[in-house]
Amino acid sequence: EDQVTQSPEALRLQEGESSSLNCSYTVSGLRGLFWYRQDPGKGPEFLFTLYSAGEEKEKERLKATLTKKESFLHITAPKPEDSATYLCAVQNYGGSQGNLIFGKGTKLSVKP
Amino acid sequence: SQTIHQWPATLVQPVGSPLSLECTVEGTSNPNLYWYRQAAGRGLQLLFYSVGIGQISSEVPQNLSASRPQDRQFILSSKKLLLSDSGFYLCASVGGTEAFFGQGTRLTVV
């Protein structure tokens, strides 16, 4: 069964304190791995899609990397506005026509 | 890029009342459309998906139904709401490996 596990569930950082969020996955055939940011009461905001092991993508203070079993979202020198829940999802080649299978998310709090 | 419109943003409904949530998509054609429900601490659960007009597949047996009357319109409905239907409902559009979400509807059944 396809599965996504995110860790930690919650992470508190001081402003400027870099860290990483983990997304471990098992999937029959990976089509893509997605990262989203979600603010309270809002829909998920698309950040990145990664397709193959070794791939990296960056956006401002965020950098996503992918291996055959996990993905990391590295946050460099975070600011309070980076506080949000970060969701990871995988898409496989079978399943429900491109459906995304989500982890439960990591809630990030950045204190000034 | 795509824009997903959902309404209403919040809804409070009594048990036993009907439900209709609407989702429309701009910026793409022939998208695969999805309804998810998000419960606190439980992640996003796929409810329905559609690959075309009139084509609906259900992932979870439940009190809800979905319809797709137009290419870029997806509707989530119920004839009689249950307390357990409360949650945050999200519409998504997936095209290849791009996937975008609407802003969601917070449904509270009282």
Side-chain angles (χ1 to χ4, degrees), chain B residues 14-110:
Chain B
V15 168
S17 64
L19 173 74
S20 181
L21 303 181
E22 188 163 346
C23 167
T24 59
V25 181
E26 292 181 0
T28 188
S29 58
N30 302 314
N32 288 350
L33 298 177
Y34 301 78
W35 279 110
Y36 288 88
R37 179 167 58 203
Q38 187 175 32
R42 299 183 63 181
L44 277 75
Q45 178 189 32
L46 178 65
L47 302 177
F48 300 94
Y49 69 93
S50 171
V51 299
I53 296 173
Q55 301 180 63
I56 307 295
S57 296
S58 173
E59 287 293 302
V60 180
Q62 59 213 325
N63 185 42
L64 302 169
S65 62
S67 62
R68 186 168 175 177
Q70 301 180 41
D71 180 48
R72 289 174 286 180
Q73 183 184 29
F74 203 22
I75 297 172
L76 184 68
S77 304
S78 174
K79 293 182 178 179
K80 290 185 178 181
L81 284 169
L82 306 173
L83 287 173
S84 58
D85 292 323
S86 294
F88 191 50
Y89 289 83
L90 289 159
C91 177
S93 171
V94 179
T97 52
E98 289 188 328
F100 299 94
F101 284 81
Q103 288 302 294
T105 296
R106 172 69 62 189
L107 172 65
T108 303
V109 182
V110 297

Side-chain angles (χ1 to χ4, degrees), chain A residues 30-55:
Chain A
L30 182 69
R31 189 176 185 187
L33 185 140
F34 295 72
W35 281 99
Y36 290 87
R37 169 193 171 124
Q38 187 175 26
D39 293 304
K42 303 291 186 182
E45 174 189 345
F46 173 77
L47 294 174
F48 308 106
T49 307
L50 302 169
Y51 301 99
S52 58
E55 188 175 2

